[in-house]
Amino acid sequence: MTGKSIDLNNISVKYPNGFAAVKHTDLHIKAGEFFSILGPSGCGKTTILKTVSGFLQPTTGNILIDGEPVDGIHPNKRPTALIFQNLALFPLMSVWENVAFGLEARGVQKSVRREKAMELLDLVALNGQENKKPSELSGGQKQRVAVARALAVEPSVLLLDEPLSALDLKLRQHMRTELRSIQKKTSVTFIYITHDQGEALTMSDRIAVMNKGEIDQIGSADEIYSYPKSSFVASFVGESNHFLGKIISVTNDNGVSIATIDHPLGHLRGKNMNNLKKGDDALIFIRPEHLIISKNKRARQNSNTFIGKLSRRDLEGPFANLFFNVCGETIVVHHNNYNDEGILNSPKENQEYILTFKSSNARVVSCGELASTGREI
Amino acid sequence: MNQSSKLLNIYTAFFLVFLFTPMILLMVASVNDHSPPSVADWRGFTAKWYSFYWASEDVIRSDDVLRSLDRDRFIRCFANSLTVASIVVPLSLILGMAGAITLTKLNTKYNSFLWWLLLSPMLAPGIILGLSTLIFWRDFGVNAGLFTIIMAQTTFISSYPMLIIMARLQRQPHELEHAAFDLGAGPIRTFWRITLPFLFPALASSAVVAFLASVENYNTTMFAKGGSCTLATEIGSMVRNPNGHPPIINALGTFIIIFTLGFAIIYTFVYQKKDR
Amino acid sequence: MQSLRNSFGDILSSVIFVLILLWGGLLIVGPQLSVLEEAMVRPERQLDSYIISNLASDADTCQLILNRIIDENKKNTSSIQSGGLASPSFGNMSSSSSSMNMAVPSFGNTSNNSQNNNKRPFIVQCERSRTDLPLTGESKETLASRYNLPILYVDEKTTLVEQLKTAENISELARTSVDKVVAIEKATNTYNLENFKQLFKYSPIPMTEEVKDAENIKIKNQLLNILNIRYENEGVIYQQITITILVTTILYAILATFLSLIICYPIAYKMALMSRPKMMAWLFVALLTPYSIAELMRIYAWVSILENNGLINQILDWIGFIDINAQEYIPFKRYPMTVFLVIVYTYMLFMVFPIYNVMSTLDRNQIDAARDLGASMLKVHKRVIIPHSKPGIAVGCIATFMLSAGAFSVPRIISRGLQSEWFTQTIYNKFFESQNSNLGSAYAIFFTITCFVIVGMFMWLMQARLKDFMRV
């Protein structure tokens, strides 16, 4: 099995009711890559998957697999295999028949089919389960049957449509590693659709973040997390605090463009991600883990400092979420429970603290849409 | 237990008595040595009304009442019923499945028209279907007979499998079919390996329903039968005997009731339990 | 169309399409259209071509008989009057095609007046041999006037030879005209609504004054008077007999539906919501059994109860109310009410199951919640259970109504078809008793449309959809 590259050239999909699910999108996915498309539900990620698998004809543009256009080729003739959100295992066939179905469709002899199915069941650690019906398996086992079934047709591209969403948290985390290792072993190109950033960040070589039918940013997990290029990406991936203001100056600090925003809290400085200019409206994002709390009320610095009153402390395990009230706004800070010496180090509620952050950790992006984070405040 | 549910129980009991009394009387008369059938005039237990269906010629000839009956004709009509059913059942399953698939998958503005069209034979009075089939085929030079019975019955019996199959078809996740396509199966293989096995329980119960509907049908068949007969029309003409017919009908009826009861028990306690 | 092809491919889609076409076209629409055509054509015996070809054969028969009489007369005049009766054999005459050639003329007076060559007995075929025969329909036209034929008739006053000559002429004229008339009939649009108009025809009902007075007070007749189906003119009662039967049938069917609903709603409620699972299963068996038993058996079960020497009459005999041996009995099977009750018995289970199936999907917690909030049981039914069960109630009502209105087996078996106050019986009689399938077709179409209009109105009223049929 070898992976193949995929190119989307100017793909757009418009449904008969006029809804544009995907808008003029270009995408290049390298052969053998674990590529995730991350976005909230309704952003068009599943639509992209359907066009690649051939269940949906794009309204404009074309798709190349391994450099070859695949327009008009039916799903059953494409070198892709799809793993459905609900897995779509055939309920009346045994596990091995499920796995061997693709071979059956290609007219492979029964003994060969069975042998191949056993091999794949070995790969996904399901030996001994071949004669069971899918309904007799656990959630994780079903998951692996679906993967084995898709791999049986030796696809060059495996398309996964939120396959882990039905599993519970523990199993989901376990399956992440499994999927990743299967991908490594087979070197098939994986296109993984998810709304769960944890899945995308842990497994992928590269991630595309989608919103409203458009790809906002493509990059490695680190790039997406640390260098968001839009307000949507910054707010959708990971947690963050944001402030809106006007840029009052752009300076160059050792080759890094730093923008300063004027905000009622004071001047806030961060890395200029979009080449913004003085006078532009901008958003500055600061991740909770980048805010530093100090007790001693030193003289206020010029920028990147404000005073907040701790209103609530939620213990998360290794760290706590601290909610500060800063001039009427709530700001969340991740705070380690123990300091470097291992002494419990917990701020007190209803006390005032000084919050600071480094300009190199803050990101300034142009104004745009924010993801609804669902964060509890 | 409160007042109203006590009342409801009493009502249910009355309802069941009303429902079953005629049938129990029918069964009692089937073992009474009295012709025409009677329960009021008890002449002793007999099984001869049952034995009519299998006893030898000599036994029947020796009995005053049974002698007058035409068993060969009865058997001929019964065989006709089986012939008709053996064609109507597969035909109505095929048509019903086609209808179910069309109504489920076809998404056009004509859908509600199709709904009306394909359900109208089930709603329309049975005699209308019988006489329209009669006239239609007469214009093609086909005389009324088993063929017109088959055509007329298929017209409306197909609607039952259609509804049963459609109910199941709508429960099938459409991803199954997509998954099969994606794995390289063509539409025919997908239908054969995925959809048809999924529909099998619905097809089985449709076949039973269609068979019963075909054999017991009287209204439609009466119009389409011409000179031929089926079990139902034969029973119908026996029953219409103004002087009362020997209780062999009661015997047959008793057999049907017991058979149906057994079937209902199996259906309720085995089939339905599995379904849940 | 696209989604069908996507799922089933071109081959299977075409197969399915063809099957639907066969079912819809060959089995459903085609037959209905041919019934419509049948209904819009006048019965064959009312056609001009039928009349004129009958005229030809009548004239032929007339000639045959006249020839015989002439021969007979010759023999009689040549031979000595022996007083023996001449009795011509008519054996070879029966081949004439007229269906009414049974009139055997009496030759009694032939021999008595044998000298008078011009005298002949009454011969119906000769009487009918005239070109000015009236045509059917509302026009006062005759065959001669419509097709420009000379007016010829076998005149009794002329000599037998002249009569024979005229009959020959008529026969020839008729024969040559038949093709022309057939051609004209083919060319002109023969479709008309005459058969449908027959439905609405008022017929005078002869009855004595006492009977009339008794009939007039009946509620049913007063209702018919209001609907203008029945009226009295100059002491004679006129009534649309066919429409009366149709209206009665529909009213009975509506009543049967309503009665079934009232009887069966509590049963469905008991089974769906008021029983423990085990109890529910047994109740299900108890209702499924009679439901699945052949309709004929359910009806037949009543025959031996309602028979003239059936159970009820025997019981009445036993308590001394009547005496069966003295031919005293109550003829239940003649009463429309009996047919009605057996219809209710036979079809009411079609009400139970649809309601039960929908009602059992109701979450019992909803009832408890409503009760908990202080609603009376009546209120719970009105606001929770009935709204939830509405699709089932609608389907049950439609099924019961259509089965009751279209009931054929019940009146045929219970009343032996004698009591034809059920419209299906009327249609059957038109088809198989009076052999008038044209009129029968018109009745059938009108009946079907009436039923479907009622069902359509009911569905609109209940806001039910045909899709609900799938849930039950």
Side-chain angles (χ1 to χ4, degrees):
Chain A
M1 278 185 246
T2 46
K4 283 183 178 162
S5 68
I6 301 214
D7 286 283
L8 272 64
N9 295 329
N10 190 29
I11 291 293
S12 60
V13 177
K14 220 172 186 167
Y15 284 113
N17 61 11
F19 174 68
V22 177
K23 296 168 198 160
H24 303 281
T25 296
D26 294 301
L27 188 61
H28 173 75
I29 298 167
K30 292 176 225 153
E33 194 175 20
F34 197 124
F35 191 88
S36 292
I37 300 176
L38 173 66
S41 60
C43 73
K45 54 193 192 305
T46 303
T47 308
I48 285 192
L49 202 69
K50 280 186 183 166
T51 58
V52 175
S53 59
F55 286 109
L56 205 66
Q57 292 300 317
T59 322
T60 67
N62 60 347
I63 295 168
L64 312 177
I65 297 181
D66 204 23
E68 300 287 325
V70 291
D71 315 300
I73 297 180
H74 275 277
N76 49 3
K77 298 280 188 286
R78 294 194 184 191
T80 57
L82 186 56
I83 294 181
F84 292 82
Q85 190 163 7
N86 65 359
L87 306 180
L89 297 180
F90 306 130
L92 300 172
M93 294 184 194
S94 66
V95 166
W96 84 263
E97 278 180 309
N98 258 288
V99 173
F101 183 80
L103 302 171
E104 185 190 324
R106 285 164 176 73
V108 176
Q109 257 194 331
K110 189 171 175 182
S111 56
V112 181
R113 258 161 33 204
R114 197 178 158 93
E115 203 170 310
K116 177 84 198 220
M118 299 315 240
E119 236 171 74
L120 281 160
L121 288 172
D122 257 0
L123 177 78
V124 297
L126 275 179
N127 16 11
Q129 315 283 338
E130 64 271 11
N131 289 325
K132 286 189 179 165
K133 287 273 158 67
S135 56
E136 299 170 73
L137 300 182
S138 70
Q141 286 172 321
K142 281 183 196 163
Q143 193 71 54
R144 291 191 290 229
V145 175
V147 173
R149 185 178 73 177
L151 289 175
V153 297
E154 306 204 350
S156 312
V157 180
L158 197 63
L159 308 167
L160 302 96
D161 185 5
E162 310 213 14
L164 304 183
S165 56
L167 304 182
D168 60 52
L169 182 65
K170 275 267 161 62
L171 201 55
R172 202 152 59 207
Q173 283 169 344
H174 172 70
M175 284 306 294
R176 283 181 195 172
T177 20
E178 292 232 348
L179 281 178
R180 181 67 180 155
S181 79
I182 289 169
Q183 197 265 336
K184 281 258 155 63
K185 264 190 256 177
T186 57
S187 73
V188 169
T189 312
F190 272 41
I191 302 182
Y192 191 96
I193 300 292
T194 183
H195 68 271
D196 181 334
Q197 43 174 300
E199 286 174 13
L201 293 175
T202 47
M203 291 190 284
S204 324
D205 294 322
R206 286 196 305 152
I207 300 169
V209 182
M210 263 192 103
N211 183 34
K212 297 207 166 150
E214 286 172 288
I215 293 181
D216 264 27
Q217 189 175 353
I218 303 175
S220 68
D222 283 325
E223 280 167 358
I224 293 287
Y225 188 81
S226 304
Y227 302 102
K229 288 210 170 110
S230 75
S231 57
F232 179 80
V233 176
S235 56
F236 186 71
V237 182
E239 275 186 86
S240 59
N241 303 293
H242 60 268
F243 304 99
L244 175 69
K246 215 179 249 316
I247 296 178
I248 51 168
S249 72
V250 178
T251 56
N252 196 314
D253 186 3
N254 295 330
V256 180
S257 172
I258 299 286
T260 308
I261 282 180
D262 185 38
H263 190 269
L265 295 176
H267 288 174
L268 305 175
R269 289 155 53 82
K271 194 164 180 267
N272 184 355
M273 300 301 297
N274 299 124
N275 282 324
L276 297 171
K277 295 184 182 57
K278 183 178 170 185
D280 291 345
D281 282 323
L283 280 162
I284 183 163
F285 286 89
I286 309 141
R287 297 224 180 264
E289 64 268 30
H290 292 144
L291 281 162
I292 302 154
I293 305 167
S294 56
K295 223 174 192 177
N296 44 346
K297 295 185 180 176
R298 290 177 298 176
R300 280 190 63 182
Q301 286 179 358
N302 244 359
S303 57
N304 293 0
T305 306
F306 36 83
I307 297 169
K309 190 190 214 178
L310 182 64
S311 58
R312 207 173 88 209
R313 175 177 179 269
D314 290 352
L315 184 63
E316 281 281 347
F319 64 89
N321 279 326
L322 306 181
F323 296 92
F324 286 95
N325 189 341
V326 182
C327 300
E329 286 194 62
T330 303
I331 288 174
V332 68
V333 178
H334 288 177
H335 182 72
N336 284 332
N337 297 325
Y338 296 91
N339 65 13
D340 295 343
E341 282 84 41
I343 297 163
L344 184 64
N345 167 23
S346 178
K348 306 268 181 307
E349 286 186 21
N350 293 324
Q351 284 200 12
E352 287 196 338
Y353 292 89
I354 293 176
L355 303 171
T356 56
F357 61 93
K358 288 184 186 158
S359 302
S360 56
N361 283 333
R363 305 288 172 248
V364 177
V365 295
S366 52
C367 280
E369 206 192 333
L370 295 171
S372 46
T373 54
R375 181 217 292 163
E376 293 169 43
I377 293 172
Chain B
M1 191 178 285
N2 61 32
Q3 200 75 30
S4 68
S5 64
K6 211 178 264 173
L7 214 64
L8 187 63
N9 282 349
I10 294 168
Y11 177 78
T12 308
F14 268 109
F15 179 84
L16 291 177
V17 168
F18 172 59
L19 201 58
F20 280 99
T21 305
M23 280 184 277
I24 288 167
L25 293 177
L26 178 139
M27 290 164 85
V28 171
S30 80
V31 290
N32 184 8
D33 195 356
H34 185 284
S35 173
S38 167
V39 282
D41 191 358
W42 184 257
R43 299 273 175 85
F45 180 85
T46 179
K48 75 176 181 191
W49 309 124
Y50 291 88
S51 69
F52 169 75
Y53 293 101
W54 60 75
S56 69
E57 267 324 303
D58 300 331
V59 176
I60 287 176
R61 231 171 278 140
S62 65
D63 188 278
D64 291 341
V65 179
L66 296 182
R67 186 163 39 191
S68 62
L69 300 170
D70 187 350
R71 186 166 66 166
D72 290 339
R73 181 181 160 81
F74 184 86
I75 291 169
R76 215 163 48 238
C77 296
F78 184 55
N80 279 347
S81 271
L82 293 183
T83 313
V84 168
S86 69
I87 300 173
V88 167
V89 170
L91 218 52
S92 63
L93 287 192
I94 292 170
L95 291 181
M97 183 146 62
I101 289 170
T102 311
L103 289 187
T104 318
K105 293 282 174 185
L106 203 62
N107 245 328
T108 63
K109 56 188 169 182
Y110 307 113
N111 264 30
S112 61
F113 165 76
L114 258 184
W115 265 100
W116 269 106
L117 178 72
L118 298 184
L119 274 187
S120 61
M122 200 182 82
L123 289 176
I127 63 158
I128 305 296
L129 304 173
L131 65 88
S132 58
T133 310
L134 181 77
I135 290 172
F136 181 70
W137 290 103
R138 192 191 62 195
D139 293 349
F140 286 96
V142 181
N143 284 328
L146 291 191
F147 177 77
T148 46
I149 295 178
I150 290 168
M151 287 297 124
Q153 288 192 356
T154 308
T155 308
F156 78 96
I157 290 180
S158 301
S159 299
Y160 303 136
M162 181 174 84
L163 289 180
I164 298 171
I165 292 169
M166 193 155 32
R168 179 133 182 112
L169 202 58
Q170 292 199 332
R171 293 223 306 264
Q172 182 184 30
H174 67 274
E175 282 93 348
L176 284 190
E177 180 177 280
H178 280 185
F181 289 161
D182 190 62
L183 293 169
I188 293 176
R189 182 185 297 274
T190 306
F191 179 73
W192 188 251
R193 286 286 274 140
I194 311 295
T195 310
L196 210 55
F198 181 82
L199 292 181
F200 183 77
L203 288 171
S205 41
S206 299
V208 173
V209 169
F211 178 82
L212 291 178
S214 168
V215 172
E216 76 159 351
N217 181 267
Y218 180 77
N219 294 358
T220 304
T221 310
M222 274 304 282
F223 275 76
K225 77 185 174 75
S228 57
C229 65
T230 66
L231 181 67
T233 64
E234 185 61 12
I235 292 176
S237 70
M238 285 177 176
V239 165
R240 292 182 73 226
N241 183 342
N243 299 319
H245 193 272
I248 58 159
I249 308 174
N250 296 55
L252 184 68
T254 307
F255 173 75
I256 293 176
I257 291 170
I258 290 171
F259 178 80
T260 312
L261 183 68
F263 181 79
I265 289 174
I266 292 170
Y267 174 82
T268 309
F269 288 96
V270 181
Y271 188 82
Q272 274 213 321
K273 207 159 261 177
K274 218 171 74 182
D275 217 35
R276 268 176 214 141
Chain C
M1 202 66 210
Q2 194 55 44
S3 63
L4 185 68
R5 279 181 57 205
N6 281 350
S7 295
F8 290 89
D10 290 342
I11 299 169
L12 274 179
S13 298
S14 329
V15 171
I16 289 168
F17 188 69
V18 168
L19 285 172
I20 292 296
L21 224 57
L22 281 178
W23 185 13
L26 207 59
L27 295 179
I28 302 173
V29 176
Q32 293 312 317
L33 287 180
S34 64
V35 172
L36 187 64
E37 192 198 4
E38 182 89 359
M40 303 226 321
V41 174
R42 276 194 293 172
E44 198 188 27
R45 73 181 82 150
Q46 288 179 15
L47 292 181
D48 296 353
S49 55
Y50 184 85
I51 293 171
I52 201 164
S53 60
N54 256 9
L55 174 64
S57 58
D58 276 343
D60 286 350
T61 315
C62 177
Q63 285 175 51
L64 214 72
I65 300 170
L66 286 176
N67 262 329
R68 255 167 217 285
I69 295 170
I70 291 168
D71 283 353
E72 208 68 32
N73 285 352
K74 272 185 196 152
K75 243 189 267 168
N76 285 351
T77 42
S78 58
S79 65
I80 305 147
Q81 286 189 8
S82 60
L85 282 175
S87 46
S89 154
F90 283 88
N92 58 349
M93 252 180 55
S94 57
S95 60
S96 88
S97 64
S98 167
S99 56
M100 299 272 279
N101 60 2
M102 295 309 290
V104 179
S106 150
F107 286 83
N109 57 350
T110 334
S111 39
N112 293 341
N113 304 310
S114 52
Q115 276 81 11
N116 188 348
N117 282 356
N118 294 336
K119 281 286 175 209
R120 64 160 169 92
F122 176 83
I123 305 168
V124 70
Q125 283 86 355
C126 290
E127 289 307 310
R128 290 203 309 234
S129 298
R130 51 197 308 143
T131 55
D132 56 348
L133 286 171
L135 297 172
T136 54
E138 276 161 22
S139 70
K140 295 270 191 281
E141 278 183 292
T142 65
L143 208 54
S145 68
R146 184 178 287 177
Y147 296 101
N148 284 326
L149 304 177
I151 295 179
L152 296 174
Y153 54 94
V154 181
D155 192 349
E156 229 181 328
K157 294 185 189 92
T158 57
T159 63
L160 286 175
V161 181
E162 277 169 333
Q163 287 182 30
L164 191 65
K165 189 82 186 133
T166 323
E168 250 168 57
N169 285 343
I170 292 171
S171 166
E172 209 182 298
L173 188 65
R175 260 172 229 295
T176 49
S177 308
V178 163
D179 292 341
K180 199 177 82 186
V181 173
V182 168
I184 291 171
E185 274 176 355
K186 280 232 174 87
T188 54
N189 184 15
T190 50
Y191 294 131
N192 59 66
L193 297 173
E194 282 303 316
N195 292 321
F196 290 98
K197 284 182 189 154
Q198 283 282 310
L199 263 164
F200 300 97
K201 209 177 73 183
Y202 286 95
S203 314
I205 298 175
M207 52 176 84
T208 59
E209 284 300 317
E210 298 93 72
V211 176
K212 196 171 82 183
D213 290 341
E215 288 285 319
N216 273 345
I217 7 175
K218 281 187 182 168
I219 296 173
K220 182 189 151 188
N221 285 330
Q222 293 195 350
L223 197 70
L224 291 175
N225 285 346
I226 292 169
L227 292 170
N228 204 20
I229 290 169
R230 181 180 184 274
Y231 68 88
E232 190 173 347
N233 189 17
E234 293 173 0
V236 184
I237 300 287
Y238 291 90
Q239 194 172 342
Q240 292 174 310
I241 295 173
T242 320
I243 290 292
T244 308
I245 298 174
L246 179 66
V247 169
T248 320
T249 305
I250 300 256
L251 286 181
Y252 268 132
I254 290 174
L255 200 62
T257 310
F258 189 67
L259 195 60
S260 301
L261 178 62
I262 290 177
I263 293 176
C264 297
Y265 178 84
I267 299 300
Y269 168 63
K270 164 83 186 159
M271 185 158 67
L273 298 170
M274 291 297 283
S275 335
R276 289 169 212 291
K278 190 139 195 151
M279 175 77 164
M280 185 164 103
W282 280 112
L283 254 176
F284 193 79
V285 170
L287 296 182
L288 185 65
T289 309
Y291 181 69
S292 320
I293 285 169
E295 184 184 307
L296 280 184
M297 283 302 160
R298 268 180 279 162
I299 301 166
Y300 175 64
W302 281 94
V303 170
S304 46
I305 298 176
L306 300 165
E307 204 58 83
N308 288 349
N309 53 359
L311 187 67
I312 299 182
N313 275 318
Q314 299 235 3
I315 291 171
L316 291 177
D317 179 63
W318 185 64
I319 59 174
F321 190 71
I322 54 170
D323 183 9
I324 289 182
N325 291 330
Q327 295 290 308
E328 274 181 24
Y329 47 75
I330 300 175
F332 289 107
K333 56 187 187 184
R334 294 288 175 123
Y335 298 151
M337 204 26 101
T338 312
V339 174
F340 172 74
L341 282 176
V342 178
I343 281 179
V344 172
Y345 176 85
T346 312
Y347 297 125
M348 70 185 175
L349 288 172
F350 288 87
M351 185 72 86
V352 175
F353 283 96
I355 300 180
Y356 161 76
N357 282 335
V358 177
M359 207 187 262
S360 59
T361 61
L362 178 68
D363 183 2
R364 288 193 202 198
N365 290 334
Q366 282 191 30
I367 299 173
D368 294 339
R371 294 287 283 167
D372 193 50
L373 293 170
S376 68
M377 214 49 221
L378 215 62
K379 195 109 189 155
V380 172
H381 275 283
K382 211 175 128 197
R383 296 300 301 275
V384 180
I385 302 174
I386 292 179
H388 179 87
S389 320
K390 215 173 75 174
I393 293 174
V395 170
C397 286
I398 292 169
T400 314
F401 171 74
M402 288 310 277
L403 285 169
S404 310
F408 173 68
S409 46
V410 180
R412 191 165 171 79
I413 287 168
I414 291 294
S415 70
R416 311 251 140 77
L418 296 173
Q419 200 265 96
S420 74
E421 286 217 8
W422 220 260
F423 200 70
T424 48
Q425 279 292 332
T426 311
I427 296 175
Y428 182 84
N429 292 345
K430 278 281 166 274
F431 262 80
F432 296 103
E433 309 282 326
S434 46
Q435 301 288 343
N436 191 342
S437 57
N438 303 83
L439 197 54
S441 297
Y443 285 12
I445 285 179
F446 191 77
F447 177 59
T448 316
I449 290 174
T450 310
C451 290
F452 271 110
V453 165
I454 291 173
V455 167
M457 280 184 343
F458 177 76
M459 283 177 69
W460 176 76
L461 210 69
M462 292 284 283
Q463 295 179 338
R465 293 164 311 150
L466 278 176
K467 286 194 169 79
D468 295 333
F469 276 86
M470 211 170 38
R471 293 178 59 188
V472 296

